[in-house]
């Protein structure tokens, strides 16, 4: 049964890159959530036993970062200088939305306010996590550029000329009749 399920799921190369971008941002959100969890409470050790609530906070951070990327996906994957500006705006919006969504899932009402605050405190305490988060968003942008190029190629007409078809050269001084090309040589009567 699983074989038949997987045989119908055949993503394109661009879609695979889109999934990889989502995975990178989700894992980065999980790493930052783990760091937030280890800062809570009296025990400040990185390697400690986690409770069920700690696991839920980590999962909430992962879901929040994934949902924020999904909501802000229109900011990512554009080329040129305008694409870089959209990337910066997307980084800010995805970061803010991810902290709000993850915080709200972790602690409804209080987490909505404390999620962005704890993210800021964690990033200030561990600047390496800021690099991890920013790199995940840049990688997502680059991977989504390839996905967006693939998606845009669907809607642009391909200029293919069948073999053996050539364009006729117009006669000098003749008017071009684009509706009926057989009448190219005729002059219009006034």
């Amino acid at each position: 049964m699983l074989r038949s399920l997987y045989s119908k799921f055949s993503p394109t190369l661009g879609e695979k890159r889109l999934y990889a971008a989502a995975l990178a941002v989700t894992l980065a959100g999980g790493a930052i959530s783990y760091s937030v969890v280890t800062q809570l409470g009296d025990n400040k050790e990185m390697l400690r036993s986690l409770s069920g609530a700690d696991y839920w906070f980590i999962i909430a951070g992962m879901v929040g970062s994934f949902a924020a990327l999904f909501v802000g996906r229109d900011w990512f994957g554009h080329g040129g200088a305008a694409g870089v500006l959209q990337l910066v705006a997307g980084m800010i919006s995805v970061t803010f939305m991810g902290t709000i969504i993850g915080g709200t899932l972790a602690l409804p009402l209080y987490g909505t306010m404390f999620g962005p605050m704890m993210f800021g405190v964690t990033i200030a305490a561990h600047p390496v996590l800021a690099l991890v988060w920013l790199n995940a968003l840049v990688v997502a942008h680059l991977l989504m550029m390839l996905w967006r190029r693939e998606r845009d190629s669907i809607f642009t007409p391909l200029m293919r000329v069948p073999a053996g078809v050539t364009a006729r050269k117009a006669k000098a001084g003749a008017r071009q009749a684009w509706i009926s090309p057989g009448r190219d040589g005729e002059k219009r009567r006034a």
Side-chain angles (χ1 to χ4, degrees):
M1 180 169 167
L2 287 176
R3 225 171 246 220
S4 65
L5 177 68
Y6 288 128
S7 67
K8 293 178 184 174
F9 181 71
S10 59
T12 63
L13 187 61
E15 290 170 341
K16 288 177 183 177
R17 290 178 175 159
L18 178 68
Y19 301 148
L23 181 66
V25 172
T26 301
L27 291 177
I32 293 173
S33 298
Y34 178 78
S35 182
V36 167
V37 164
T38 58
Q39 288 185 359
L40 297 175
D42 296 331
N43 194 355
K44 302 282 188 208
E45 296 175 8
M46 286 297 276
L47 298 174
R48 64 179 176 96
S49 61
L50 299 175
S51 67
D54 294 339
Y55 284 119
W56 172 244
F57 288 169
I58 294 169
I59 291 170
M62 293 173 77
V63 170
S65 61
F66 176 79
L69 182 66
F70 179 77
V71 171
R73 70 188 180 274
D74 290 337
W75 292 101
F76 293 92
H78 299 282
V84 173
L85 292 175
Q86 286 182 340
L87 170 65
V88 171
M91 286 177 156
I92 294 168
S93 65
V94 165
T95 301
F96 189 66
M97 283 188 291
T99 57
I100 288 177
I101 294 169
T104 302
L105 288 174
L107 290 171
L109 298 178
Y110 287 117
T112 307
M113 178 181 63
F114 287 117
M117 185 184 77
M118 287 304 296
F119 179 82
V121 168
T122 303
I123 292 300
H126 305 288
V128 172
L129 289 175
L131 291 176
V132 168
W133 179 248
L134 292 177
N135 282 332
L137 291 176
V138 168
V139 164
H141 171 72
L142 295 174
L143 290 172
M144 289 175 80
M145 278 180 76
L146 300 169
W147 169 74
R148 194 169 296 281
R149 189 176 306 132
E150 178 183 282
R151 296 290 297 169
D152 290 344
S153 70
I154 295 170
F155 302 109
T156 57
L158 298 174
M159 299 301 288
R160 291 188 188 164
V161 177
V165 176
T166 59
R168 290 186 292 152
K169 289 188 176 183
K171 295 178 186 174
R175 299 183 78 172
Q176 297 293 319
W178 58 275
I179 294 177
S180 57
R183 298 178 51 189
D184 280 346
E186 296 180 13
K187 296 208 179 209
R188 188 184 293 192
R189 295 181 190 190

